[in-house]
Amino acid sequence: MFRTIFTLSALAAGLLSSSAMAAPTEDIAPRSARAANAGGVLVAQNGDFDVYYDARGNRVIVDAETGQVLAIQPPQTRFDRRALRRERLRNLGPVEDDRYYLDDPEDMARLRRRQLEEEGLIVVPPVDQYDPYSDNSVEAFPEAPLDDGSYGNDYPEAPQPIKPRTVKRQPLDEASIEPVEPTAPGDQAALPPKIGGKTVADPSLSLGARQDVAALQVLLDRAGASPGVVDGRFGSNVDKALAAYNEITGSNLRSTDVVGIQAALEQSGGDAFASYSITPEDAAGPYVASVPEDYGQKAQLDRLSYTSVTEALAERFHMDENYLKALNPEANFNRPGTIIKVANFGRLVAAPVARIIADKGKKQVRAYDASGKLIAAYPATIGSADTPSPTGTHAVSRVALDPNYTYNPNINFKQGENNKILTIPPGPNGPVGSVWIALDKPTYGIHGTPDPSKIGKTESHGCVRLTNWDARELAKIVSPGVTVEFID
């Protein structure tokens, strides 16, 4: 009995001594493996080991130092990280310190899935035994979509995915105008009036216009680089005019250079806008009530004049009519003595032109002097696919101001049901505007337009169309014999 007790005491003392000696070693060596009693693999040495997979999908853990096989884990006994993550989200909810990186597609997919789970649009399936190194059987892949575009669902309590909603876009009016408030309950809000079947916006509004952009347009116009109508809006006509301005002046002005634009305005004539007092002649006209679209009806009028004081003043000051009204919302344009704000476009180009280029691609007409220097540039509408403009080089044959227009369906285009030759009276609202610069090719020329805001944005019947004021400026500096070259 005494011997047995002595033996057990000695064995216990030896175990305690071994534990005490192993303690410093445990502090030095990194503990990189899980404890054996936690279901992991206890790795000797310094924790370095290699992981391999055999043909059956088993995970084989090998000591990197000795090459000894430490453990073999079948697929069913390994940790399923995806299942553990789903279990954590189900039991513990979102983890506060979970981070997602926008440039990591996997993180973004997890974030999107988490958001859908929180919104209840998808339900996390039960933890399965999914293994990325399994035999990839067909059960591991989602079902194909059904005929109605939805997917099957094995979980009856899970809601079906929401079908995408089809958005139908309604046609827009010409401008976004808030309706007039009803005067009595139940009354329908007043709508913009209709003229000729088209909804007409309140002309006193010019949505999206900016005065700083209009100031840039005035500066360009002063230098001979016409932006078309001054309307306070950026667009292709302004871009082309700015490039021409830099070529004409030798500068490098940018549309965003506010200080440079203001300095150039001061050097070229002062403020971009000026005050103008409406005269009795302005209010008197003559004006026409409206301009018909049909050429047969046009031919019955005495003159295709302006239709209002605002239209006449807008063309005089190179402005869009709606923008002129927007700058002067309280003005009575029909009363002489009314002071309004207008564009101060400065002097017209006076240098003689020796050569003209009609650029179809840029939709621009450029005028050069005898030395080859650019002196003027205008936005233009040049021909169309159905009625293309001329090609090659031609010459100016004559210039006519305020001309009438001869309509001949046998030679040119056909307008409406008009099959006879018609003589359309002169006027700024005529088919060729207030100017006709004829070319040596019959029926073709450079002319004005009744719709200056559409220059460079629509098509013509083969001729070169400018605003009335640009065509008039060009007519005064061009002469018969000047070459006109059409380029693509």
Side-chain angles (χ1 to χ4, degrees), residues 44-321:
Q45 314 300 332
N46 60 353
D48 293 336
F49 58 90
D50 296 328
V51 179
Y52 301 92
Y53 293 90
D54 61 16
R56 297 183 179 181
N58 298 319
R59 179 185 289 136
V60 182
I61 301 177
V62 179
D63 192 311
E65 296 291 337
T66 64
Q68 180 181 359
V69 176
L70 301 177
I72 298 177
Q73 295 179 330
Q76 294 77 10
T77 63
R78 298 203 304 270
F79 288 103
D80 189 342
R81 296 182 182 276
R82 300 186 181 184
L84 290 175
R85 180 174 180 80
R86 288 196 295 269
E87 185 70 20
R88 183 183 65 174
L89 291 177
R90 182 189 299 108
N91 298 331
L92 302 179
V95 181
E96 296 298 332
D97 61 349
D98 201 1
R99 299 179 181 179
Y100 302 92
Y101 294 92
L102 299 179
D103 57 350
D104 189 336
E106 294 184 359
D107 273 7
M108 295 309 298
R110 291 193 295 108
L111 175 61
R112 179 56 180 162
R113 182 176 180 83
R114 173 178 171 178
Q115 293 173 341
L116 293 176
E117 291 173 0
E118 294 176 352
E119 297 173 3
L121 298 181
I122 62 174
V123 175
V124 180
V127 177
D128 54 12
Q129 296 298 328
Y130 171 79
D131 180 31
Y133 299 97
S134 64
D135 58 353
N136 294 327
S137 61
V138 69
E139 286 78 8
F141 296 91
E143 298 182 15
L146 303 179
D147 293 338
D148 59 355
S150 63
Y151 290 85
N153 198 326
D154 295 331
Y155 310 103
E157 296 180 359
Q160 292 292 335
I162 300 176
K163 295 182 181 180
R165 184 180 61 179
T166 303
V167 179
K168 296 182 179 179
R169 299 186 179 274
Q170 300 296 331
L172 298 176
D173 294 334
E174 293 185 8
S176 299
I177 302 176
E178 296 183 359
V180 179
E181 293 294 335
T183 56
D187 290 345
Q188 185 180 2
L191 298 176
K194 290 188 176 182
I195 299 178
K198 296 182 178 180
T199 301
V200 180
D202 183 355
S204 65
L205 298 177
S206 186
L207 304 178
R210 291 168 45 185
Q211 194 159 323
D212 59 331
V213 178
L216 172 62
Q217 291 174 321
V218 171
L219 173 64
L220 301 176
D221 201 1
R222 288 179 183 177
S226 173
V229 294
V230 175
D231 58 2
R233 292 182 174 88
F234 279 118
S236 58
N237 287 348
V238 174
D239 294 339
K240 292 181 292 188
L242 183 58
Y245 173 89
N246 288 330
E247 182 177 350
I248 292 172
T249 61
S251 60
N252 189 26
L253 184 67
R254 296 183 179 182
S255 60
T256 55
D257 186 0
V258 179
V259 176
I261 293 172
Q262 185 61 38
L265 284 170
E266 294 297 332
Q267 296 175 2
S268 60
D271 292 341
F273 297 94
S275 297
Y276 176 79
S277 179
I278 295 178
T279 66
E281 291 76 15
D282 295 332
Y287 300 106
V288 295
S290 63
V291 179
E293 294 290 335
D294 185 76
Y295 277 19
Q297 298 178 11
K298 290 180 188 290
Q300 298 176 8
L301 299 177
D302 295 331
R303 181 175 175 81
L304 295 173
S305 305
Y306 294 114
T307 59
S308 64
V309 178
T310 54
E311 184 184 18
L313 293 178
E315 286 218 355
R316 183 184 304 177
F317 295 103
H318 304 183
M319 301 176 69
D320 175 73
E321 184 179 0

Side-chain angles (χ1 to χ4, degrees), residues 431-454:
V432 296
S434 57
V435 176
W436 174 256
I437 303 175
L439 301 182
D440 56 6
K441 184 172 183 177
T443 72
Y444 287 94
I446 305 172
H447 59 81
T449 180
D451 298 309
S453 296
K454 296 181 180 180

